[in-house]
Amino acid sequence: MQGVDPAWLPDEAFRPIGTRRTLIRGSGPLVDTVRAEVARACARFGGRVEHGAAPGPFDLVLELTGEDSSEGFTHERRGGRTTVTAQGRRGLLYGLFHVVRLGEAAFRGERGRERHAPASALRMLDHWDNVAVHPVMGQVERGYAGGSLFWEDGRARGDLTRVRAYGRLLAACGINALCVNNVNVHKAEARLLTDRIGDVADLADALRPYGVRTHLSVTFAAPMLLGDLPTADPLDGAVRAWWAEATARVHEAIPDFGGYVVKADSEGQPGPFVYGRSHADGANMLAAALEPYGGTVHWRAFVYDHRQDWRDRTTDRARAAYDHFAPLDGEFADNAVLQVKHGPMDFQAREPVSPLIGAMPRTRLAVEVQATQEYTGQQRHVCWLGPMWSEVLRFRADGKSPVGELADGGLVAVSNVGDDPFWTGHPLAQANLYTFGRLAWQPDADPHEVLDEWIRLTSGEGPAAGLRAILDGSWRTYEKYTAPLGVGWMVQPGHHYGPSVDGYEYSPWGTYHFADRDGVGVDRSVATGTGYAGQYAKPWAELYESPDTCPDELLLFFHHVSYGHMLRSGKTVIQHIYDTHFEGVAEVAEARRTWASLAGLVEPARHARVAELFEEQLRSAREWRDQINSYFFRKSGVADAHGRRIY
Amino acid sequence: MQGVDPAWLPDEAFRPIGTRRTLIRGSGPLVDTVRAEVARACARFGGRVEHGAAPGPFDLVLELTGEDSSEGFTHERRGGRTTVTAQGRRGLLYGLFHVVRLGEAAFRGERGRERHAPASALRMLDHWDNVAVHPVMGQVERGYAGGSLFWEDGRARGDLTRVRAYGRLLAACGINALCVNNVNVHKAEARLLTDRIGDVADLADALRPYGVRTHLSVTFAAPMLLGDLPTADPLDGAVRAWWAEATARVHEAIPDFGGYVVKADSEGQPGPFVYGRSHADGANMLAAALEPYGGTVHWRAFVYDHRQDWRDRTTDRARAAYDHFAPLDGEFADNAVLQVKHGPMDFQAREPVSPLIGAMPRTRLAVEVQATQEYTGQQRHVCWLGPMWSEVLRFRADGKSPVGELADGGLVAVSNVGDDPFWTGHPLAQANLYTFGRLAWQPDADPHEVLDEWIRLTSGEGPAAGLRAILDGSWRTYEKYTAPLGVGWMVQPGHHYGPSVDGYEYSPWGTYHFADRDGVGVDRSVATGTGYAGQYAKPWAELYESPDTCPDELLLFFHHVSYGHMLRSGKTVIQHIYDTHFEGVAEVAEARRTWASLAGLVEPARHARVAELFEEQLRSAREWRDQINSYFFRKSGVADAHGRRIY
């Protein structure tokens, strides 16, 4: 697309295929997509695409061997021929992009038969896009990449060229589902379910050729808001009939509709509590409406008291999801998926893994991460989240299985994409979207290999070492110069950009650090605190219970300790705060220098954009360093061991 | 007016006149207003109004004896006849309202000849009203009483009935000038000067019958914005010609136009600095344009660096107005008035008087106070500001003369009025507007007598004792439960409602308290601080220089002291903080009880509104108490001597 960054699908990525002779066997819409991709590459680079019984030899054979809906494929190379076979059309599409990702390596040497299939059938992006611009939250809630790809000023975009290009990028990293509107469903958005379903159908049509199914966020109050019913009680017959009817119409418009996403009884959104019903009642009602069509309801577990009294230290927001949902294990319908944020709070730069994920063996779970960098630099800071997500996915939340397996309902990311020419505002934030897709397909993948793959596709070998140096440790760097030791929330209220140590300290949001002149942190132990640590399975409950065994990076999340408390690292808490904040800024300065050295190796517009953003990141990192250090110096009175400047 | 509170001009206030026989001598528009007022009172209460050579006897004679523009009048009572004479029509109008204020007392006994005249010719309200709703600041910037009386959604209001009623209220408390738009002049508002001057003329027509002249806020960049000139340089001939021409047209539309109000080089507004010109150059250019028509430019002295680095302790926002303007003394034109905020910062609940007021003997000064309660409870809290303003006006800023005299260019208040049925949102906030008018007329008036006058007019004798108890000490009460000892700024950023102790601590706004574990406050001494104390005339410079002589209520404004520092009151700073915060909340609770006891003595809608607001005030006061006390307890570690609950 003209004027739009090609991201990880530049023409050059198709050269290995486009210069060769490819045979495609099979038919149907997704096979047409595969054929068109190969044909386009050949048109550009001089290769050929054949089909049916065309005579060989071929460099590449892409062959559909069945008709099912599976997504896996096999790949092998023997006798100078690379072969991809798939029993389902989706698999063939993913096989094609597998070859694209391999590049020239796909056509070298011999390669034994490999079977590839996604760990989970659902790899989804939630777009927090509003149809109508919200007076506070704007066109895209927590969006840092311009407007919405789908909506503009209350209307659906007429030209969906960009949406189709987006679907192509998603397919190329393995994403197969997309929710087109914000989980906070306002008035205009509510109507997407009924009289504006045509807008959603248009989007579904644009995404379908790339194997991406469309989902919709709905409001629990829809039967009242749109149906003029006196109640939205999930056990009320008329309500259930209304949802059945509405869902039937949705499926008329979108035969392969994915399902509903629901934020209920959360931050002001309506839900089943008002009727004395459980969240299982609520979810199961929608599951029943979707069941005849194979749809799924994604029911978010983000339920907590957002009007808490900061004076009350017995209430702990971190406990809320577990307290609300763990007792409901086994009560959810088969096509209801409980969508759990990866941490117990809300996408802070460092959180423990939510204990709820290990506590729902009889419930289908989806784990939600946040690609949009609400609390991680808002796409003005480089912060590659691959290692964070990988840590989450490898964490054995129930003491036995990794989160990547426990999340049998799939992985979901809040999208970081908008109508920005670079898709994600910060060009390097594309790496987060790509990494999410690849980890969703294979949760135990090495994120650093995924990063290398993204770098190779996006930028080639020239700037690769520099890009790796900039991105690889960028999450740890961000963690260093922001809130320390897992305590979180030291951000400006409302927009969440930049430091404000006490910004959420006396708020109703359940977000406290309890710093005083002696120490800091939240006691969430069972013995003396809120008991949150006890929500974990073994061995985590014991590990987190004591400050002696709690990992340093989560210490202040679980414990209130003195500034002189000795970390496992051998540093005191206060010296750790000072040191990490000075180090974090130094690391940003170093990354900025590295980026400057890549001029000439990176496309000029992209280089200029990132260079400009590095100025802001460095300014902001210094602001974080100085505010955090000054705050804790003023409170603790402890001087920096190295005598550096603290204000 | 139907559905609108009569404020201090209920029909009942006209009974003493309306039941009697009045002779009016004189003619002209303002005399017509006087006549209409008396006639309306008589129509209601059965009295009679006569004119010319009608035969006596008369209870009241209102007589115009000249034709000048003076505002004074004489008042006497002899032989059963009350006589008001005035040499100018405005004086006759004020004389009428003087009789209204006196009530039955105006018609009792004998009373020697008294001469009444305003201390200053300019008693002005600045409305921070936007023509177009501002995306952040709304229809009225810092407005807490609904929309604008003048503007609605980008248009002038068609029906000006309410504006006329407003002019009448203003005349009855002595206000004679009004600026119709926000000092922050946005795009739509800029055009009021040119093609939309007709809107302003309509307002002027509505206000003129009550002796209120209309002023306009203009943008310094108008010649570029509206005139397509390449510069707004105040010494450029074309720029000066443009202003002369524009001003001539304004005077064609509004022959008695009052003049311009300008916020230049302030918080992002354009000004002369960019051309290397002084603020005197800027002001004098506009003064020259206004001079042929008798108009005045009000040039605001609110110039400071709002992008300060909080790390830099040498820059002191409090110094800014003096540093910018004191060197310009004597350079301003005769019809240029320098409009100075009463304190050096920005309308905090407690500030010292601005030293600039004592430093401009050769400059006409207007002193600006803020009736709209931006930092004093936003018209949800009862906070009668009469005592604060009176303290300011009595302060001998140059060591000799009170501010009330030094302000020879008049007194200005930022209006607290909107289209709310009670005018001021909180019905009791009307007392602030009334008190401002009366103090502007007579700056050495006893504010408590003015309050009694307002209570008597507004509510009669029934609830008077209760109202006095609620209002009289309400500013001190507010001060007690908010930021302590003059330090200011512990408010939520942006909207400024509610506590946030560190909300402005690491900001670019120059608004810091520097609290650490040992102490709190800003060292503004000459010896060891920013030198601000040295900007004062004697004896203030010496008095403020030392913590031993600095008044307690300003201690933290001038000095950084330890929590254990002993106040002149005999309490430590930390114990003072705890005590005042507990006391402040107790006083609000007591005022709420008092108000409850007035049910039946106060009009029901008014009672209900205030009762509802008291709930919010009490909630908010508790929030202030607990946040401030917790913050300083956590920092100081000093326990409350009385063992009260601190979180």
Side-chain angles (χ1 to χ4, degrees):
Chain A
M1 275 187 78
Q2 200 104 34
V4 172
D5 191 74
W8 49 87
L9 291 183
D11 288 336
E12 202 54 33
F14 287 84
R15 179 186 293 273
I17 293 175
T19 52
R20 289 183 165 82
R21 189 155 182 249
T22 298
L23 174 70
I24 300 174
R25 287 213 183 102
S27 65
L30 292 184
V31 181
D32 293 345
T33 302
V34 169
R35 187 171 289 116
E37 287 287 340
V38 177
R40 188 163 77 161
C42 292
R44 170 168 289 264
F45 294 106
R48 284 175 61 190
V49 56
E50 309 285 0
H51 36 116
F58 302 105
D59 303 299
L60 174 62
V61 174
L62 299 165
E63 181 171 10
L64 181 68
T65 60
E67 291 270 323
D68 66 22
S69 63
S70 67
E71 299 184 305
F73 58 89
T74 64
H75 168 243
E76 64 182 332
R77 180 165 174 84
R78 205 180 306 166
R81 174 191 284 192
T82 300
T83 305
V84 170
T85 62
Q87 297 219 345
R89 296 189 180 91
R90 289 160 185 268
L92 201 69
L93 182 68
Y94 293 123
L96 167 70
F97 285 117
H98 180 74
V99 174
V100 171
R101 284 194 301 267
L102 287 173
E104 277 299 331
F107 300 100
R108 280 196 216 111
E110 302 278 297
R111 193 183 277 254
R113 188 179 171 84
E114 296 166 10
R115 168 115 197 112
H116 295 269
S120 156
L122 187 120
R123 306 172 304 278
M124 182 169 178
L125 289 179
D126 279 3
H127 275 258
W128 287 355
D129 295 19
N130 296 318
V131 174
V133 175
H134 186 274
V136 177
M137 291 302 179
Q139 185 77 68
V140 180
E141 182 160 333
R142 310 304 180 189
Y144 313 104
S148 166
L149 289 179
F150 313 135
W151 317 104
E152 188 177 34
D153 288 342
R155 293 171 303 103
R157 285 185 184 274
D159 179 359
L160 299 183
T161 314
R162 186 94 194 256
V163 176
R164 279 187 288 274
Y166 184 46
R168 183 169 174 254
L169 286 172
L170 299 186
C173 68
I175 290 165
N176 70 350
L178 188 147
C179 183
V180 298
N181 66 309
N182 189 358
V183 290
N184 291 317
V185 180
H186 310 294
K187 212 168 157 186
E189 292 74 18
R191 290 172 47 208
L192 294 177
L193 175 64
T194 51
D195 56 317
R196 295 190 65 174
I197 189 65
D199 292 352
V200 184
D202 291 345
L203 293 173
D205 290 345
L207 294 167
R208 190 176 294 110
Y210 286 95
V212 178
R213 282 172 89 182
T214 298
H215 297 239
L216 187 66
S217 289
V218 295
T219 170
F220 193 79
M224 301 166 74
L225 203 63
L226 304 167
D228 282 331
L229 294 188
T231 176
D233 182 347
L235 301 192
D236 181 275
V239 169
R240 298 177 73 87
W242 187 90
W243 278 109
E245 168 77 19
T247 306
R249 292 207 183 146
V250 168
H251 276 273
E252 272 169 34
I254 310 167
D256 60 347
F257 178 66
Y260 298 134
V261 176
V262 187
K263 176 178 180 176
D265 288 321
S266 172
E267 296 179 338
Q269 295 292 312
F273 280 164
V274 70
Y275 307 105
R277 310 302 183 190
S278 77
H279 277 247
D281 292 333
N284 291 346
M285 168 189 67
L286 296 176
L290 288 159
E291 197 273 335
Y293 315 99
T296 303
V297 57
H298 284 252
W299 190 268
R300 291 176 90 236
F302 188 53
V303 177
Y304 70 99
D305 178 5
H306 68 290
R307 293 185 180 164
Q308 194 177 323
D309 189 336
W310 59 269
R311 300 166 187 83
D312 164 24
R313 294 207 187 186
T314 62
T315 303
D316 181 2
R317 170 170 167 180
R319 292 186 57 112
Y322 183 102
D323 285 344
H324 281 300
F325 288 94
L328 301 178
D329 187 35
E331 295 186 16
F332 288 93
D334 286 345
N335 64 327
V337 167
L338 189 64
Q339 185 164 318
V340 185
K341 293 196 182 199
H342 69 82
M345 297 297 275
D346 191 17
F347 300 134
Q348 301 302 291
R350 173 71 72 172
E351 292 188 36
V353 172
S354 170
L356 184 61
I357 299 172
M360 302 293 278
R362 295 178 297 147
T363 305
R364 286 178 69 199
L365 288 186
V367 171
E368 182 180 313
V369 302
Q370 195 181 39
T372 194
Q373 292 172 235
E374 178 176 0
Y375 295 97
T376 52
Q378 303 199 351
Q379 282 135 264
R380 292 192 253 177
H381 297 222
V382 179
C383 186
W384 175 57
L385 296 166
M388 179 209 271
W389 297 337
S390 180
E391 280 186 21
V392 169
L393 293 170
R394 290 161 188 246
F395 183 81
R396 295 178 186 274
D398 63 352
K400 300 184 289 287
S401 306
V403 168
E405 288 176 21
L406 294 171
D408 52 351
L411 292 179
V412 179
V414 183
S415 166
N416 61 352
V417 167
D419 69 353
D420 177 82
F422 289 99
W423 300 93
T424 51
H426 200 306
L428 303 186
Q430 293 175 2
N432 284 327
L433 183 59
Y434 185 85
T435 304
F436 168 74
R438 300 288 288 133
L439 289 178
W441 180 282
Q442 186 192 343
D444 62 355
D446 180 341
H448 306 284
E449 288 180 10
V450 173
L451 178 64
D452 283 345
E453 192 178 86
W454 176 80
I455 290 173
R456 194 172 58 242
L457 284 168
T458 303
S459 311
E461 282 307 320
L467 279 167
R468 201 174 298 120
I470 289 166
L471 283 159
D472 209 42
S474 57
W475 165 53
R476 293 278 183 166
T477 297
Y478 185 85
E479 182 185 24
K480 280 183 177 182
Y481 62 76
T482 57
L485 297 165
V487 76
W489 292 111
M490 293 178 171
V491 292
Q492 291 278 345
H495 57 68
H496 299 165
Y497 187 75
S500 177
V501 180
D502 275 0
Y504 277 99
E505 185 58 14
Y506 301 95
S507 83
W509 294 95
T511 47
Y512 317 115
H513 54 64
F514 302 125
D516 61 23
R517 74 199 316 256
D518 302 315
V520 56
V522 187
D523 185 353
R524 292 191 162 107
S525 70
V526 175
T528 57
T530 68
Y532 167 78
Q535 292 185 338
Y536 282 88
K538 287 185 180 175
W540 310 114
E542 289 77 1
L543 190 89
Y544 294 145
E545 175 70 13
S546 162
D548 299 330
T549 51
C550 183
D552 283 353
E553 68 271 15
L554 291 172
L555 183 67
L556 301 185
F557 192 93
F558 283 100
H559 298 282
H560 186 93
V561 300
S562 72
Y563 295 115
H565 175 90
M566 196 60 75
L567 294 171
R568 291 151 62 92
S569 71
K571 281 184 185 174
T572 62
V573 164
I574 188 73
Q575 194 58 42
H576 171 93
I577 291 174
Y578 298 153
D579 287 350
T580 49
H581 284 78
F582 283 107
E583 285 163 23
V585 172
E587 288 166 17
V588 173
E590 175 61 27
R592 175 167 154 273
R593 276 190 297 274
T594 303
W595 183 259
S597 77
L598 301 183
L601 298 174
V602 173
E603 189 263 320
R606 172 182 280 248
H607 194 273
R609 169 79 74 99
V610 173
E612 187 187 319
L613 288 165
F614 261 123
E615 296 306 310
E616 167 56 17
Q617 182 175 2
L618 186 59
R619 182 208 64 76
S620 177
R622 284 182 176 137
E623 191 64 28
W624 271 100
R625 175 193 68 191
D626 291 341
Q627 284 201 33
I628 297 277
N629 283 350
S630 296
Y631 181 96
F632 285 105
F633 174 66
R634 290 184 190 180
K635 232 161 192 162
S636 71
V638 179
D640 172 36
H642 307 294
R644 290 162 294 195
R645 181 79 186 264
I646 296 176
Y647 298 89
Chain B
M1 275 187 77
Q2 200 104 34
V4 172
D5 190 73
W8 49 87
L9 291 182
D11 288 335
E12 201 54 33
F14 287 84
R15 179 187 292 273
I17 292 174
T19 52
R20 291 186 164 81
R21 190 159 181 245
T22 298
L23 174 69
I24 298 174
R25 285 212 183 102
S27 64
L30 293 183
V31 181
D32 292 344
T33 302
V34 170
R35 187 171 289 115
E37 287 287 342
V38 176
R40 187 163 77 161
C42 291
R44 171 168 289 265
F45 293 107
R48 283 175 61 189
V49 57
E50 309 284 0
H51 36 117
F58 302 106
D59 302 301
L60 173 63
V61 175
L62 299 165
E63 181 170 9
L64 182 67
T65 59
E67 291 270 324
D68 67 21
S69 63
S70 67
E71 300 185 304
F73 59 89
T74 65
H75 168 243
E76 64 181 333
R77 180 165 173 82
R78 205 180 306 167
R81 176 192 283 193
T82 298
T83 305
V84 169
T85 62
Q87 298 217 345
R89 295 190 179 91
R90 291 161 184 270
L92 202 70
L93 182 68
Y94 292 124
L96 167 70
F97 283 118
H98 180 74
V99 174
V100 172
R101 285 194 300 267
L102 288 172
E104 276 299 331
F107 300 100
R108 280 197 215 109
E110 301 277 297
R111 193 184 276 253
R113 189 179 171 85
E114 297 165 9
R115 169 115 198 112
H116 295 269
S120 157
L122 187 120
R123 307 172 303 278
M124 183 168 178
L125 288 180
D126 279 2
H127 276 257
W128 288 355
D129 295 19
N130 295 318
V131 174
V133 174
H134 186 274
V136 177
M137 290 304 179
Q139 185 77 69
V140 181
E141 182 161 334
R142 310 304 180 187
Y144 313 105
S148 165
L149 288 179
F150 312 135
W151 317 104
E152 187 178 35
D153 287 343
R155 294 172 302 103
R157 284 187 184 275
D159 179 359
L160 298 182
T161 316
R162 186 92 192 254
V163 177
R164 280 187 287 274
Y166 184 45
R168 183 170 174 253
L169 286 172
L170 299 187
C173 67
I175 290 164
N176 70 350
L178 188 148
C179 183
V180 299
N181 65 311
N182 189 358
V183 290
N184 291 318
V185 179
H186 310 294
K187 210 167 159 188
E189 291 75 19
R191 290 173 47 209
L192 294 177
L193 175 64
T194 52
D195 57 317
R196 295 189 66 173
I197 189 66
D199 292 352
V200 184
D202 291 344
L203 293 173
D205 290 344
L207 293 167
R208 190 175 293 110
Y210 285 96
V212 178
R213 280 171 89 181
T214 297
H215 298 241
L216 186 66
S217 290
V218 296
T219 170
F220 192 79
M224 301 167 74
L225 202 63
L226 305 167
D228 282 331
L229 295 189
T231 176
D233 182 348
L235 300 192
D236 181 275
V239 169
R240 298 177 73 86
W242 188 89
W243 277 109
E245 168 76 19
T247 306
R249 294 211 181 143
V250 169
H251 276 273
E252 273 169 34
I254 310 167
D256 61 346
F257 179 66
Y260 299 135
V261 176
V262 187
K263 175 178 181 177
D265 289 320
S266 172
E267 297 180 337
Q269 295 292 312
F273 280 163
V274 70
Y275 307 106
R277 309 303 184 190
S278 78
H279 276 249
D281 292 332
N284 291 347
M285 167 189 66
L286 296 177
L290 288 159
E291 197 274 334
Y293 315 99
T296 303
V297 57
H298 284 254
W299 190 268
R300 293 176 90 234
F302 187 54
V303 177
Y304 71 99
D305 179 4
H306 70 288
R307 293 184 179 168
Q308 194 179 324
D309 188 336
W310 59 268
R311 300 166 187 82
D312 164 24
R313 293 208 188 187
T314 63
T315 303
D316 181 2
R317 170 170 168 180
R319 293 186 56 113
Y322 183 102
D323 285 345
H324 282 298
F325 287 95
L328 301 177
D329 188 32
E331 295 186 17
F332 287 91
D334 286 345
N335 64 328
V337 167
L338 188 65
Q339 186 163 316
V340 185
K341 292 197 184 199
H342 70 83
M345 296 298 274
D346 190 18
F347 301 135
Q348 301 303 290
R350 173 72 73 171
E351 291 187 36
V353 171
S354 171
L356 184 61
I357 300 172
M360 302 293 279
R362 295 178 296 148
T363 305
R364 286 179 68 199
L365 288 185
V367 170
E368 182 180 313
V369 301
Q370 194 180 40
T372 194
Q373 291 170 237
E374 179 176 359
Y375 295 98
T376 51
Q378 303 200 348
Q379 281 135 265
R380 291 191 254 178
H381 296 221
V382 179
C383 186
W384 175 58
L385 297 165
M388 179 210 273
W389 297 336
S390 180
E391 281 186 21
V392 169
L393 294 169
R394 291 162 187 246
F395 182 81
R396 296 179 184 272
D398 63 353
K400 300 185 288 288
S401 306
V403 168
E405 286 175 23
L406 295 170
D408 51 351
L411 291 178
V412 179
V414 184
S415 166
N416 61 352
V417 166
D419 70 352
D420 177 82
F422 289 100
W423 300 93
T424 51
H426 200 306
L428 301 185
Q430 292 175 2
N432 284 326
L433 182 59
Y434 185 85
T435 304
F436 168 74
R438 300 288 289 132
L439 289 178
W441 180 281
Q442 187 193 342
D444 63 355
D446 180 341
H448 305 283
E449 287 179 12
V450 173
L451 178 64
D452 284 346
E453 193 177 86
W454 176 79
I455 291 172
R456 195 172 58 243
L457 284 167
T458 304
S459 310
E461 283 305 322
L467 279 167
R468 201 174 298 121
I470 289 167
L471 283 159
D472 210 42
S474 57
W475 166 52
R476 295 277 183 165
T477 296
Y478 185 84
E479 182 185 23
K480 281 183 177 182
Y481 61 76
T482 56
L485 297 164
V487 76
W489 292 112
M490 294 178 171
V491 292
Q492 290 279 346
H495 59 69
H496 300 164
Y497 186 77
S500 176
V501 180
D502 275 0
Y504 276 98
E505 185 60 13
Y506 302 95
S507 84
W509 294 96
T511 47
Y512 317 116
H513 54 64
F514 301 125
D516 61 22
R517 73 198 317 258
D518 302 315
V520 57
V522 187
D523 185 353
R524 293 190 162 107
S525 70
V526 175
T528 56
T530 69
Y532 167 78
Q535 292 184 338
Y536 283 88
K538 284 185 181 176
W540 308 115
E542 289 78 0
L543 191 88
Y544 294 146
E545 176 69 14
S546 162
D548 298 331
T549 51
C550 182
D552 283 352
E553 68 270 16
L554 292 172
L555 184 67
L556 300 184
F557 192 92
F558 284 100
H559 298 282
H560 187 91
V561 299
S562 73
Y563 295 116
H565 175 89
M566 195 61 74
L567 294 170
R568 292 151 61 93
S569 71
K571 281 185 185 174
T572 62
V573 164
I574 188 72
Q575 194 57 43
H576 171 94
I577 291 173
Y578 297 154
D579 287 351
T580 49
H581 284 79
F582 283 108
E583 285 164 22
V585 172
E587 287 166 16
V588 173
E590 176 61 28
R592 176 167 154 272
R593 275 191 297 274
T594 302
W595 182 260
S597 77
L598 301 183
L601 299 173
V602 173
E603 191 262 320
R606 172 182 281 247
H607 194 273
R609 169 80 74 101
V610 174
E612 188 186 319
L613 288 165
F614 261 124
E615 297 305 311
E616 167 55 17
Q617 182 175 4
L618 186 58
R619 183 207 64 75
S620 177
R622 285 182 175 140
E623 191 65 27
W624 272 99
R625 176 193 67 192
D626 291 340
Q627 285 201 32
I628 297 275
N629 284 350
S630 296
Y631 181 97
F632 285 106
F633 173 67
R634 290 185 191 180
K635 230 160 194 164
S636 71
V638 179
D640 172 37
H642 307 294
R644 289 164 293 195
R645 180 79 187 263
I646 296 176
Y647 296 89

